[in-house]
Amino acid sequence: MIWLQLVADLQARLDMCDQFSKAMAEKSAEQLKRFEERMELQHRQEKHQLLEQLVKGSKEALGQQEKLKEEHRHRAKLLTLKLREAEQQRQQEIERVRQEEGRERMRRLCSLQQEALQLIQKIQVDYKQQEALRVDLSAYGHRGNQICGILSTVVRSSSERGYPTQDDVSLGEHSLQEMKMLVNTIEKELAAAEERKKAEDEAAKEKQKEAQQIQQQQAKLQTPAPTQDQKQTKREGLQKKASKGTLQRFLELQKVLELCQKVCEELATCKDPQTKKIRADLQRAVTTPVSQISSVSGSQVRDTFDKINNFLMGKPIVSAGRTIVVSQHPLGLDFVCLKLAEKLVSQGEEEVASHHESAFPIASVASALWERYPKVGELFLANLHKKCPYAVPFYPAFQEGISLEEYQRLLGYQVKDSIVEQQDSFLKRMSGMIRLYAAIMQVRWPYGTNQGNHPHGLNHGWLWLAQMVNMEPLSDITATLLFDFLEVCGNAMIRQYQDQFWKLLLLIKDQYFPT
């Protein structure tokens, strides 16, 4: 019975354990289910939050994108406005340049017409003069009138259109060139006619020469001695030589030149091979760059000046593959300044005489060197006065004790083997030197500060021109040099002196040339 009771208790305990296990299993299942529900809820919540964040981020991105688009549209609008303004400014600049070029062409065309009208007066020779010289120049006058008519038509049609074209200017230049050829031809024919008439007059007078001499001798015997007041009537007005101050400055510069030549004589005449080599290097270092100055390349002009300037400052330079320094010889600097001044004058005498457009590039280098090294300027001026005394201005007078060849050299002529150069060659050389001199007076070194005064400015040009018109003119040379000076320096003189310069031009035209 006890055993049965035990079995029953054990069975009851087993049942209770089974129930407890089932209950625990059910509870665990329920808890697992709740956990899974919580996990699923949490996952849904996280997913929902992520979706909300994504939507919010998308909205913010869309807003930012719209903002960027708006800014882009605004910037594009501003850029379009700027581009439109830039295009308008470009078109305005193009129009301004076109109008300026048109006005310049119109001024050029008008100046051509004015020059042609001045030349037609030379062509229309007085009929009495033609009759006296027995020449007929009516054909030239008729052609000159035709050319003036063509130029008037071109100017009138250009004014109606607004501005002339380059073809109109070319036509005007061609017409003016033809007019100049007509003037030259007329002058040659008049000169030939005058020579013929002069020869005929001399032949006619030759027959009366003996009778006239007899009459003069008889008149001389019968005429009482003149009084002191009647011996000479001095012409008032034009002078025969420059002012005392100008001549004194001329002599001072010649003394400076002679002193420099005397100082450099030891180096210039030394026979020592090493010294001769140094002398050749020093001379080549400054003359070669000056010879290479071009009228088309501004950079080349600047390189030339920099090379010469560095050399004069004592810096080494390379020339013909050799390194050269001005201090190689104690007299090196004086010798280099002398040769540089001589070379600049020679460039005016040769290069500028043949190519007028080279005057300003050479003058810009000369002016810059003159400003930095006044000694070079003085030596240049002294050499210029020696080769072209008309740059003083100075007309050397013939003196007793000097030969005719020496006197011709004083006048600037080149005399070789007792043969004097032709007048055309002489005028050409003088013209080149005066053109260079006139260019130097007005140009400054374009790459410097130019804060100081010009070393030899337009005031010297005014002084030269005033003294020229105060002196009696010489045949050929006076007119040639006045023309060259005014052509090169006239525009600068007008800007500087304005009405006073116009008065001087009128004085030259109305009073000086007729003398």
Side-chain angles (χ1 to χ4, degrees):
M1 289 296 291
I2 295 172
W3 183 81
L4 291 175
Q5 185 65 35
L6 289 173
V7 172
D9 292 337
L10 183 59
Q11 187 64 39
R13 189 177 293 274
L14 288 173
D15 291 338
M16 186 177 61
C17 286
D18 288 338
Q19 290 178 359
F20 180 77
S21 297
K22 288 180 181 180
M24 291 301 295
E26 289 178 359
K27 185 176 181 180
S28 296
E30 288 294 332
Q31 289 180 350
L32 179 61
K33 187 175 181 179
R34 298 288 84 78
F35 177 76
E36 288 177 352
E37 288 177 354
R38 284 195 302 270
M39 292 299 296
E40 184 178 358
L41 178 61
Q42 184 178 359
H43 178 70
R44 282 197 300 270
Q45 288 177 347
E46 290 179 352
K47 183 178 180 180
H48 181 70
Q49 290 177 356
L50 182 60
L51 288 175
E52 287 182 349
Q53 291 177 357
L54 289 175
V55 171
K56 183 178 180 180
S58 299
K59 289 182 179 180
E60 291 179 353
L62 289 176
Q64 188 69 21
Q65 185 177 9
E66 289 296 327
K67 185 177 180 180
L68 292 175
K69 286 182 179 180
E70 184 63 26
E71 291 180 356
H72 176 72
R73 285 193 295 268
H74 180 67
R75 291 179 180 178
K77 187 176 181 181
L78 292 177
L79 182 60
T80 302
L81 291 175
K82 290 182 179 179
L83 289 175
R84 189 177 303 164
E85 291 177 357
E87 180 64 21
Q88 290 177 354
Q89 292 177 356
R90 189 179 71 86
Q91 293 296 334
Q92 291 174 357
E93 181 66 18
I94 292 175
E95 181 64 20
R96 186 190 65 79
V97 172
R98 187 188 69 82
Q99 292 180 1
E100 182 64 26
E101 292 176 350
R103 285 192 291 269
E104 182 63 29
R105 288 193 294 268
M106 179 59 75
R107 285 192 293 267
R108 174 62 177 161
L109 197 59
C110 291
S111 66
L112 292 174
Q113 185 185 20
Q114 183 178 3
E115 190 172 352
L117 292 175
Q118 294 174 353
L119 291 175
I120 194 64
Q121 296 178 0
K122 297 182 180 181
I123 294 177
Q124 294 174 349
V125 183
D126 186 24
Y127 290 105
K128 292 183 179 180
Q129 183 182 0
Q130 295 186 41
E131 184 178 354
L133 297 176
R134 298 177 185 177
V135 292
D136 184 12
L137 303 176
S138 59
Y140 297 108
H142 179 66
R143 179 54 186 164
N145 290 328
Q146 288 181 344
I147 293 175
C148 288
I150 292 173
L151 282 174
S152 299
T153 303
V154 171
V155 172
R156 190 182 306 110
S157 60
S158 300
S159 300
E160 293 174 355
R161 291 196 308 267
Y163 298 109
T165 63
Q166 187 59 41
D167 293 337
D168 296 333
V169 177
S170 300
L171 177 60
E173 292 176 346
H174 177 74
S175 301
L176 182 62
Q177 186 65 26
E178 185 179 355
M179 184 77 77
K180 290 180 179 179
M181 293 174 61
L182 289 177
V183 172
N184 291 334
T185 305
I186 289 176
E187 290 177 349
K188 291 179 181 179
E189 291 198 10
L190 288 175
E194 288 178 356
E195 289 294 331
R196 290 194 301 269
K197 189 175 184 303
K198 184 178 179 181
E200 292 174 359
D201 293 341
E202 289 178 355
K205 291 179 180 179
E206 187 67 26
K207 296 179 181 180
Q208 303 176 0
K209 186 175 182 180
E210 294 180 0
Q212 290 177 352
Q213 290 177 352
I214 295 173
Q215 292 176 0
Q216 289 175 358
Q217 291 175 358
Q218 293 176 351
K220 184 176 181 180
L221 293 173
Q222 296 173 1
T223 302
T227 63
Q228 185 68 23
D229 296 336
Q230 295 173 341
K231 286 183 177 180
Q232 183 178 5
T233 302
K234 184 177 181 181
R235 181 183 179 183
E236 298 180 355
L238 297 180
Q239 304 172 359
K240 293 186 177 181
K241 61 181 180 180
S243 64
K244 183 178 179 180
T246 300
L247 292 178
Q248 183 177 358
R249 176 59 176 164
F250 165 69
L251 295 175
E252 290 175 355
L253 288 174
Q254 294 307 306
K255 289 181 181 178
V256 171
L257 177 60
E258 292 173 1
L259 179 61
C260 186
Q261 290 174 340
K262 187 175 181 180
V263 170
C264 298
E265 185 177 3
E266 177 185 347
L267 176 58
T269 59
C270 184
K271 303 297 183 180
D272 178 68
Q274 184 64 27
T275 304
K276 290 173 65 177
K277 192 173 184 180
I278 293 175
R279 180 179 66 209
D281 289 340
L282 292 174
Q283 183 170 348
R284 184 173 60 250
V286 292
T287 57
T288 301
V290 174
S291 301
Q292 296 173 347
I293 296 177
S294 172
S295 60
V296 297
S297 176
S299 60
Q300 187 180 25
V301 174
R302 186 171 188 177
D303 292 340
T304 299
F305 169 76
D306 290 338
K307 190 172 184 179
I308 298 175
N309 184 45
N310 291 334
F311 185 60
L312 293 177
M313 291 173 63
K315 297 180 181 180
I317 66 168
V318 178
S319 178
R322 294 170 56 84
T323 302
I324 308 172
V325 184
V326 73
S327 59
Q328 285 178 317
H329 194 277
L331 300 176
L333 184 58
D334 291 332
F335 179 77
V336 164
C337 291
L338 178 61
K339 293 303 174 182
L340 177 58
E342 291 176 354
K343 183 61 178 178
L344 289 172
V345 175
S346 177
Q347 285 295 96
E349 186 180 15
E350 299 171 0
E351 180 65 19
V352 179
S354 301
H355 305 91
H356 293 170
E357 66 276 6
S358 64
F360 284 95
I362 298 174
S364 64
V365 175
S367 177
L369 293 173
W370 195 333
E371 185 174 358
R372 288 161 177 78
Y373 309 97
K375 184 175 182 179
V376 175
E378 289 187 346
L379 293 174
F380 166 82
L381 205 55
N383 276 283
L384 178 67
H385 290 170
K386 187 175 182 180
K387 283 195 172 184
C388 179
Y390 314 100
V392 178
F394 172 57
Y395 300 158
F398 185 80
Q399 300 176 357
E400 295 182 1
I402 64 173
S403 63
L404 181 59
E405 293 181 5
E406 185 63 24
Y407 177 63
Q408 289 171 332
R409 288 192 179 95
L410 290 176
L411 292 175
Y413 288 88
Q414 291 181 347
V415 183
K416 296 181 180 178
D417 300 329
S418 300
I419 300 176
V420 184
E421 70 176 330
Q422 297 294 325
Q423 184 72 1
D424 291 342
S425 176
F426 166 73
L427 292 176
K428 183 178 180 181
R429 290 192 305 105
M430 298 299 109
S431 170
M433 287 185 280
I434 287 296
R435 283 179 175 272
L436 177 59
Y437 185 43
I440 288 176
M441 293 179 187
Q442 60 179 301
V443 299
R444 301 293 298 274
W445 182 239
Y447 304 103
T449 57
N450 297 329
Q451 295 179 353
N453 295 328
H454 194 291
H456 198 80
L458 287 175
N459 57 318
H460 293 274
W462 178 270
L463 180 63
W464 181 88
L465 188 59
Q467 294 196 64
M468 280 290 286
V469 299
N470 278 327
M471 298 170 64
E472 289 186 355
L474 298 181
S475 177
D476 288 340
I477 187 65
T478 300
T480 299
L481 297 187
L482 281 176
F483 171 80
D484 292 326
F485 180 88
L486 292 175
E487 186 176 47
V488 175
C489 204
N491 185 44
M493 296 285 283
I494 288 175
R495 293 199 307 268
Q496 179 76 15
Y497 297 102
Q498 300 179 2
D499 292 342
Q500 294 300 320
F501 185 70
W502 281 113
K503 292 178 182 179
L504 184 57
L505 290 181
L506 291 175
L507 174 68
I508 295 173
K509 172 181 176 293
D510 297 333
Q511 300 182 29
Y512 186 71
F513 281 156
T515 60

